[in-house]
Structures are given as structure tokens and as C-alpha cells.
């Protein structure tokens, strides 16, 4: 039966949270090369050459060109203050950013070694982010856990109110998230020809939340309907 005369059914709205674990299987290295020189053109050309060496090293280490991306370019002047509050340009700094994606996590240490050798003192490593290349299964598990959490809370609230959970009226699901900031590398010198920097996958936590609206049925009506059904059955017998 539908609701009439603008009457809205009683509902309970609950937001549930859920998590699932996934093992990262890819790494994204974010880096830059930076070169200083007296002349702007020299700084620019030096940064371009250093970036090309890093790119060539990444490709030689087995990365496909599609997983090597330029992420930024900057050229700035270096200024000092002289007597009399006078600025003087004493040089130029050029830098360019790169993002390298290693689809096989086990190859990341060798990749780091290669780019450190190629970039030399011009290299700046900004961070290493571990990723799950196919998080669909973990996303689904996190959403299921979030729905179960919401249903459990809604059932408890309904019981406290002397009601029963009815049909689901609405579901709003947020996009599952895979949190985790890049792991900073303190110094590029940590990866040297003598010793590779270890990269451990660990586990990533996928989080999801869902907001579900349930209709609240009257417990007394349910018991009454159950009693009527039993009386009808007795009369039929």
C-alpha cells in the first residue's frame, strides 16, 4: 500500500564505514632534476640534459615510454641583495619534474639505482607512492563491509525504538579511497651502486562508506498481522 495525503514513512538513516586490505603491486616515483648556471640558457640546457639521462636510464631499466611522464618545468633567477637594498641576479636555476611508474614492484630498487646514477647531483627524489594496480576487489569488499556496518547500526537503533527495519529506501555510496601519501626518500644517496634501497610492499587499506535509508515498520503492526494470520489459519482448520 502506498502513502497518501503527503504522509511520509518513518525512516532511519545510517552511514556505515568499511575497510579492506590490498597488497600494492606498483610504485610511482616522483622526482625532478635541477641545474644551476650563470646563464639562463645554460641552466635550461643542463636540466634538459639531466632529464634526458634519467629518462634514458628508466627506459633501459625496462619501463615502457608510456610510464614515463613529464610533470613540470621551472626556470627561475637566483637573486641576492647588495648594499643599498639593490637586487642582483647571480644565476639561474632550471628544473623539470618526472613521474615514473613501475608496474612490477620488485623492479623498483633497480630503477631507483639506475636513475640515481643517471641524474647524479642534479637529481631530487620527492617521493615514492605504492599503488594497487587493480583495486576493484578490495573496493567491493570495503563497500560490503560498510553496508554491513550500516545495517547493523540501523537494526540496533530500530530495536531501541521498538520498531523493525523495513525495505531500503535509498543508498548513497562514496567512492572508495586508497589512502597513503608518498613515502619520502630522505636522500638520493640512499640508493647507491653498492647497496640498493629496499622497497617493501606492506599492505594498503581501502576505505569505503555508504549512507543507507531504511523504512521503519511498526513492530506492533507486525505482531498484529501475525496474530490475524494465526486466527485465520485456526478458523480455516
Amino acid at each position: 500500500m502506498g502513502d497518501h495525503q503527503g504522509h511520509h514513512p518513518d525512516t532511519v538513516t545510517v552511514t556505515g564505514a568499511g575497510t579492506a586490505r590490498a597488497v600494492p603491486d606498483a610504485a610511482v616515483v616522483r622526482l625532478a632534476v635541477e641545474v644551476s648556471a650563470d646563464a639562463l640558457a645554460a641552466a635550461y640546457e643542463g636540466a634538459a640534459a639531466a632529464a634526458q639521462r634519467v629518462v634514458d636510464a628508466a627506459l633501459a631499466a625496462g619501463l615502457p615510454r608510456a610510464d614515463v611522464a613529464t610533470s613540470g618545468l621551472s626556470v627561475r633567477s637566483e637573486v641576492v641583495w647588495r648594499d643599498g637594498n639593490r637586487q642582483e641576479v647571480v644565476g639561474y636555476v632550471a628544473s623539470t619534474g618526472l613521474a615514473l611508474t613501475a608496474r612490477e614492484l620488485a623492479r623498483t630498487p633497480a630503477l631507483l639505482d639506475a636513475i640515481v646514477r643517471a641524474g647524479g647531483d642534479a637529481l631530487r627524489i620527492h617521493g615514492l607512492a605504492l599503488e594497487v594496480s587493480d583495486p576493484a576487489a578490495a573496493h567491493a569488499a570495503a563497500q560490503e563491509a560498510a553496508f554491513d556496518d550500516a545495517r547493523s547500526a540501523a537494526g540496533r537503533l530500530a530495536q531501541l525504538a521498538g520498531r523493525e527495519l523495513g525495505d531500503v529506501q535509498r543508498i548513497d555510496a562514496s567512492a572508495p579511497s586508497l589512502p597513503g601519501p608518498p613515502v619520502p626518500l630522505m636522500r638520493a644517496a640512499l640508493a647507491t651502486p653498492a647497496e640498493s634501497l629496499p622497497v617493501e610492499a606492506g599492505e594498503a587499506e581501502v576505505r569505503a562508506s555508504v549512507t543507507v535509508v531504511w523504512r521503519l515498520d511498526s513492530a506492533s503492526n507486525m505482531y498484529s498481522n501475525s496474530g490475524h494470520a494465526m486466527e485465520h489459519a485456526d478458523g480455516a482448520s
Side-chain angles (χ1 to χ4, degrees), residues 13 21 38 63 70 85 119 139 143 165 187 196 218:
T13 301
R21 296 282 183 172
D38 294 337
L63 259 65
T70 300
N85 292 329
H139 286 174
Q143 282 190 328
L165 282 185
R187 288 170 47 116
S196 295
S218 173

Side-chain angles (χ1 to χ4, degrees), residues 152-165:
S152 176
R156 184 170 59 253
L157 292 173
Q159 185 176 19
L160 290 172
R163 307 289 288 274
E164 297 285 344
L165 282 185

Side-chain angles (χ1 to χ4, degrees), residues 66-198:
D67 289 335
V68 179
T70 300
S71 58
L73 173 65
S74 172
V75 180
R76 70 178 189 275
S77 59
E78 289 188 309
V79 178
V80 297
W81 288 90
R82 300 301 186 188
D83 294 340
N85 292 329
R86 180 173 57 88
Q87 285 186 333
E88 180 179 336
V89 176
V90 296
Y92 296 88
V93 179
S95 65
T96 183
L98 293 168
L100 310 178
T101 302
R103 305 289 177 185
E104 298 178 38
L105 195 60
R107 301 177 67 173
T108 305
L111 172 64
L112 290 170
D113 286 350
I115 62 177
V116 166
R117 293 192 193 98
D121 291 341
L123 186 66
R124 310 287 185 269
I125 298 182
H126 297 314
L128 173 68
L130 302 183
E131 298 185 348
V132 178
S133 58
D134 185 13
H139 286 174
Q143 282 190 328
E144 290 176 10
F147 185 87
D148 290 343
D149 181 50
R151 179 169 52 194
S152 176
R156 184 170 59 253
L157 292 173
Q159 185 176 19
L160 290 172
R163 307 289 288 274
E164 297 285 344
L165 282 185
D167 295 334
V168 171
Q169 305 294 298
R170 178 172 175 168
I171 300 176
D172 292 319
S174 65
S177 62
L178 185 63
V183 178
L185 302 183
M186 299 305 294
R187 288 170 47 116
L190 288 175
T192 65
E195 183 179 359
S196 295
L197 181 70

